Amino acid sequence: MTKSKETSEPAGGEQRRLQMVDIARLAGVSVSTVSRALNGSELVNAETRQRVAELARSLNYSINFGARNLRLQENKTVAVVVPYDARSRQHISDPFFLSIVGAIADALTDRGYDMLLSRVDAERLDQAAHWVDSGKAIGVILIGQWRQHDQLNDMAARKLPLVVWGGEMPQQLYASVGGDNVLGGTLATRHLLQLGRRRIAFFGDAKLPEVWLRRQGYAQALREAGVEVDAALELAAPFEPGVATEIVRQFCQVRRDFDAVFCCSDVLALLATQALRAVGRSVPADVAVVGYDDMPLAAYCDPPLTTVHQPVAEAGVALVEALLAQLAGERPALRTMPVYLMRRASAPDAAA
């Protein structure tokens, strides 16, 4: 008799899971939101709780209160996922990753949540859903869209609680928070133009959404100034220093016809400065350099780096709040945060 009882419990649990999936589909919310709503969590708004309760009654759904503490409504862990390129394996010690992960960790801690830090192959961003599907996390904050916009849309379509750090893209279904990349590219390039530079190189892989948007700003500023966009001055350099170093070095050796460079990260800007010096060119006298992110190290470079400042601390809060809003039943939202140019000696003002 005992064996019979033990074998019947998983079947009952599976039935409850299937019913919960049905409720989530009919209510247009995630399974984790259904779980919290059925247990009266105030993270879910009253309207959503009522809608879920009515659907549960219609499906004769019953809650296993004996297992309540093991269910998602008691889970306060958020998965923070940092993708990696399998070819370059960009390390998580990258200054930008460290800064934004730290900001997210602070925001989660302030709100009583825990952080689970993980990595996935950038070609399989959908693997980040595992942490929610397995019940180990209540939602996912993903650092970067990489080249998988469609995978992210698919995850959003199945109501996975998800927020992505990245740029706003066409036909986007998932929630995102990101800096104003077009504005950042425009500000950097306009500044270089105002210094009298006309042969402005662009370093960054425009196949990545954020870099693509920064390139739009770069090209827009050039056109506004009547300067032709020269594809020969664009270098599709990755963010990972181990791969980018040689690519940047070769470009600076071969091309001597540019007088400024806009780099899509501070790390790329540092590599560019080193490569230029190695071929006998001075920064900023021969080539003015502008980076992107304004990481703490930028102020201590030689020369100190002019760069586009991203509001990383504020972004950590915004990412967490956007995820908690989804868990409360709100629709995914897109937020673009302001950026500004931090002027330093690598591309000083004309009067400096």
Side-chain angles (χ1 to χ4, degrees), residues 316-328:
V317 173
L319 286 161
V320 170
E321 289 184 344
L323 182 65
L324 296 182
Q326 282 186 63
L327 293 171

Side-chain angles (χ1 to χ4, degrees), residues 265-348:
S265 78
D266 289 345
V267 171
L268 280 177
L270 296 182
L271 295 179
T273 300
Q274 293 172 356
L276 288 164
R277 283 178 173 164
V279 297
R281 305 191 76 189
S282 173
V283 176
D286 297 324
V287 182
V289 177
V290 175
Y292 208 103
D293 291 332
D294 194 21
M295 295 293 94
L297 60 85
Y300 303 101
C301 297
D302 181 22
L305 184 63
T306 295
T307 180
V308 177
H309 177 87
Q310 295 220 79
V312 172
E314 297 88 341
V317 173
L319 286 161
V320 170
E321 289 184 344
L323 182 65
L324 296 182
Q326 282 186 63
L327 293 171
E330 296 182 19
R331 292 181 179 278
L334 283 60
R335 181 176 177 185
T336 299
M337 306 185 74
V339 299
Y340 62 85
L341 188 70
M342 178 60 73
R343 294 172 172 82
R344 299 190 182 99
S346 69

Side-chain angles (χ1 to χ4, degrees), residues 243-263:
V243 178
T245 298
E246 182 62 18
I247 296 173
V248 171
R249 185 189 68 80
Q250 289 181 4
F251 183 92
C252 292
Q253 278 187 334
V254 172
R255 301 205 66 94
R256 314 276 295 199
D257 59 342
F258 62 98
D259 56 10
V261 56
F262 167 40
C263 300

Side-chain angles (χ1 to χ4, degrees), residues 175-215:
S176 66
V177 174
D180 191 334
N181 292 286
V182 175
L183 176 61
T186 302
L187 290 174
T189 310
R190 279 180 184 165
H191 177 66
L192 292 169
L193 289 164
Q194 288 165 1
L195 300 181
R197 313 298 171 121
R198 288 297 179 269
R199 299 286 293 166
I200 303 173
F202 178 91
F203 288 4
D205 183 0
K207 291 181 180 178
L208 300 175
E210 288 184 280
V211 176
W212 176 71
L213 292 168
R214 291 168 197 175
R215 188 198 171 278

